[in-house]
Amino acid sequence: MAPPAAAAAASPVLLLHRAAKQLWRNRFGSSSFRGQCTASAPQPEPASKGVAAKDELSLQERRRFLREPLPFSAFLTDSFGRRHSYLRISLTEKCNLRCQYCMPEEGVKLTPKSKVLTSEEIVALAGLFVTEGVNKIRLTGGEPLIRPDVVQIVAQLRKLEKLKTIAVTTNGINLARLLPSLKEAGLNLLNVSLDTLVPAKFEFIARRRGTGPQICGITLSLSLPDFDPVTVNCVVMRGLNDNELLDFVKLTEEKPLDVRFIEYMPFDGNKWNFKKLVSYQEMLGTIKQRWPDLERLTSGASDTAKAYRVPDFQGQIGFITSMSEHFCGSCNRLRITADGNLKVCLFGNTEVSLRDLLRSGATEEDILEIIGAAVGRKKQQHAGMFNISQMKNRPMILIGG
Ligand code: SAM
Ligand code: SF4
């Protein structure tokens, strides 16, 4: 993990931010500069009055920056111009299942409770990101719905005015019980993970006895009227559940579900193997054999799923093609792990502890500078499926999917 001091090393974004902050202060004497440059903000005077340090931006660069105010927070914009408006927060490393693709058989070493973010810390960090332009937060884990204060966290997040979407990704086991209070607290998007419709297979994949598919079925019918659409996440693995693709598509005939087929990704301890990966093109081919007139739907700029619909079906399907056709170019996501590390890429192993900064009494501005530096160092794309299968990363359950 990169120590905070190293994280503060000057990146183009941080230099840009520092120069702008200095100019702002010289001109307005205000300490309220927050890296959010909008067209309506008063413009600082030209750089001649500013005393930007020599190692900061050149005069020409500063002038260009001042002429072209950023439409989005400098802290959350990386050096490839990607604006990070979507934050995923892991609420816990714990889970009531043990899915093979997510964690090693022997389990994971859990972070001591004292080092896991408290609900106050989660809300404080979320508030900082929202002020800078994040408009969607997804709560994940581990299993977020086993955290006892999950409803209170959602309610606190709902108070953040500029936050449009509060989403949860869950295995569904506790959902039926918590759904009414989550909805009342302000939850407005729901992903339920379900990899098989066969109970015995569920037990094999999740390494837990249980009636997952039935529970999910009930949960889904309960949640359908409240969340439009409910998304079902299905990790497809060769020889395990790839023979259920058509059954999952069939679910969308009568129900307004969005079934997402996710390519199996490698994480530490999940025994990923190229042969187990069923690619997007292969899945598409299988589905098209049954429904040749499957139609492609248009997607939003930062949608990760390639969306399709069988004509006249109520719901739709999508493919998350992180392995065969990565979508790094339009990535707008940041992650905070349950132990408080900022992770700018799911497949990058550099992390910065926001928890330590918070607990050491760092100011919001200090924290934002560290966030800006980390975002500024985000790579253009992940290293490719073979390389990421070789590199060290945490198990998915500790990252928060
Ligand atoms: N426990 C919750 C759940 O299962 O929905 C939330 C956490 S889980 C880590 C988030 C998502 O990551 C789930 O949809 C899960 O299927 C997905 N996931 C976990 N390991 C994966 C892998 N190796 N490849 C692709 N998706 C994975
Ligand atoms: Fe738990 Fe979700 Fe990982 Fe399965 S995928 S072990 S439910 S965190």
Side-chain angles (χ1 to χ4, degrees):
M1 184 183 89
S11 71
V13 172
L14 187 54
L15 288 177
L16 197 68
H17 166 70
R18 280 194 189 141
K21 185 168 71 173
Q22 186 63 50
L23 289 166
W24 187 280
R25 283 195 177 130
N26 290 340
R27 173 70 178 82
F28 302 108
S30 155
S31 61
S32 65
F33 180 88
R34 299 182 54 87
Q36 183 91 36
C37 308
T38 66
S40 59
Q43 290 298 291
E45 283 183 356
S48 54
K49 277 203 173 179
V51 204
K54 273 217 163 57
D55 66 338
E56 294 186 349
L57 298 174
S58 71
L59 191 63
Q60 201 187 4
E61 283 168 322
R62 274 180 281 150
R63 285 207 170 119
R64 191 161 56 85
F65 172 68
L66 292 173
R67 270 202 311 274
E68 296 170 17
L70 292 176
F72 191 77
S73 165
F75 296 112
L76 302 187
T77 306
D78 71 14
S79 48
F80 303 97
R82 291 172 295 198
R83 299 170 188 168
H84 295 80
S85 56
Y86 178 9
L87 178 66
R88 298 165 79 98
I89 303 178
S90 172
L91 293 189
T92 178
E93 297 171 346
K94 295 183 186 164
C95 188
N96 39 9
L97 300 180
R98 297 284 183 276
C99 303
Q100 296 184 23
Y101 51 74
C102 179
M103 63 187 295
E105 198 161 6
E106 64 278 12
V108 290
K109 191 165 179 287
L110 294 175
T111 302
K113 191 168 179 224
S114 62
K115 298 205 163 174
V116 170
L117 291 179
T118 63
S119 55
E120 289 78 15
E121 289 169 334
I122 290 169
V123 174
L125 286 174
L128 206 53
F129 278 90
V130 170
T131 312
E132 292 302 315
V134 161
N135 56 28
K136 175 173 177 181
I137 291 183
R138 177 175 299 281
L139 303 177
T140 175
E143 173 48 41
L145 301 193
I146 62 171
R147 184 159 164 147
D149 52 2
V150 60
V151 176
Q152 289 90 313
I153 291 173
V154 172
Q156 290 299 316
L157 293 179
R158 188 33 78 216
K159 292 183 188 157
L160 301 173
E161 261 178 39
K162 293 184 192 157
L163 182 60
K164 288 197 198 122
T165 306
I166 306 176
V168 158
T169 301
T170 170
N171 61 29
I173 303 287
N174 288 348
L175 187 58
R177 180 169 58 82
L178 289 173
L179 197 62
S181 34
L182 283 170
K183 196 182 161 249
E184 199 185 322
L187 186 77
N188 53 4
L189 196 64
L190 187 60
N191 285 43
V192 181
S193 299
L194 181 62
D195 307 306
T196 175
L197 303 169
V198 181
K201 209 190 285 183
F202 175 87
E203 291 185 10
F204 178 70
I205 295 175
R207 300 191 188 111
R208 280 288 178 271
R209 294 188 72 81
T211 48
Q214 289 92 330
I215 292 175
C216 269
I218 297 164
T219 302
L220 288 175
S221 355
L222 283 172
S223 41
L224 279 175
D226 292 332
F227 298 93
D228 181 21
V230 174
T231 300
V232 171
N233 288 359
C234 175
V235 180
V236 181
M237 289 160 288
R238 191 179 309 285
L240 210 51
N241 60 352
D242 54 337
N243 61 348
E244 293 186 63
L245 275 175
L246 303 184
D247 298 333
F248 273 98
V249 179
K250 196 97 174 80
L251 285 182
T252 67
E253 183 168 11
E254 306 284 337
K255 295 188 168 63
L257 287 172
D258 182 356
V259 175
R260 298 269 168 95
F261 297 113
I262 307 177
E263 288 180 346
Y264 180 29
M265 300 183 276
F267 295 98
D268 278 11
N270 78 349
K271 298 190 180 149
W272 185 86
N273 171 330
F274 178 65
K275 291 186 194 145
K276 292 188 202 162
L277 171 72
V278 185
S279 72
Y280 156 52
Q281 288 301 340
E282 186 180 340
M283 293 190 251
L284 193 60
T286 306
I287 296 167
K288 277 191 167 171
Q289 277 182 16
R290 169 70 180 80
W291 290 285
D293 48 358
L294 185 74
E295 57 192 25
R296 178 84 193 249
L297 305 175
T298 46
S299 314
S302 32
D303 282 351
T304 47
K306 295 174 174 66
Y308 290 80
R309 182 195 298 275
V310 178
D312 300 328
F313 277 21
Q314 282 197 48
Q316 63 182 67
I317 61 170
F319 300 89
I320 307 286
T321 64
S322 322
M323 304 304 292
S324 65
E325 290 182 24
H326 71 72
F327 33 82
C328 304
S330 59
C331 180
N332 66 344
R333 299 160 175 219
L334 298 172
R335 293 180 159 79
I336 298 180
T337 58
D339 57 353
N341 281 0
L342 175 68
K343 200 167 167 69
V344 295
C345 172
L346 181 58
F347 298 111
N349 48 20
T350 49
E351 300 181 6
V352 178
S353 177
L354 301 181
R355 176 201 65 208
D356 290 351
L357 282 168
L358 269 181
R359 293 186 186 178
S360 67
T363 63
E364 283 193 356
E365 204 159 289
D366 292 337
I367 300 174
L368 281 175
E369 291 202 4
I370 300 295
I371 293 170
V375 172
R377 287 196 310 273
K378 179 162 169 164
K379 297 217 169 78
Q380 190 168 16
Q381 58 190 58
H382 72 56
M385 72 172 140
F386 291 107
N387 291 329
I388 59 180
S389 69
Q390 304 301 319
M391 77 180 217
K392 191 96 194 92
N393 200 352
R394 300 210 229 183
M396 178 63 131
I397 193 163
L398 297 183
I399 299 171

